[in-house]
Amino acid sequence: MVRWEGHEIGIISTLLGCGAIAHGSMPRGWVKSFIHRQPIAAMSIFLFSAGVLMPVTVVPIRRSLGLPTNQYESEHPKVAYPKYESIN
């Protein structure tokens, strides 16, 4: 089950809010026009959105694979700590 805390809700609501403001204030077909006229800026916005959503998606994937997640969410009940081999 997905565990929603303050930062996940803040990230998703910020992205949805920015998209809703842009979509509501621009004319019909502005996304296609923007991508064709300004491909570098469009790619920059896509990479920004992907980067902002990574903390919401990567941590649950790491947890399900059994990889360490203690740097991201140390209070989670299913936190996984790194396992170090002993030096003898």
Side-chain angles (χ1 to χ4, degrees):
M1 173 145 186
V2 178
R3 183 175 165 196
W4 294 96
E5 293 179 355
H7 67 281
E8 289 97 350
I9 295 170
I11 289 170
I12 292 174
S13 65
T14 299
L15 285 176
L16 291 176
C18 290
I21 290 170
H23 186 68
S25 63
M26 302 298 257
R28 182 180 284 275
W30 71 273
V31 175
K32 185 176 180 180
S33 174
F34 177 68
I35 292 170
H36 286 291
R37 291 181 184 178
Q38 302 290 332
I40 295 174
M43 186 63 177
S44 175
I45 291 173
F46 171 74
L47 290 175
F48 166 77
S49 300
V52 168
L53 287 175
M54 284 185 78
V56 179
T57 57
V58 171
V59 176
I61 292 171
R62 286 182 63 90
R63 189 182 318 112
S64 67
L65 294 173
L67 297 172
T69 58
N70 62 322
Q71 294 180 354
Y72 310 108
E73 48 187 12
S74 58
E75 289 92 24
H76 193 276
K78 295 183 180 177
V79 65
Y81 291 96
K83 296 171 180 70
Y84 299 107
E85 295 179 20
S86 62
I87 301 173
N88 291 331

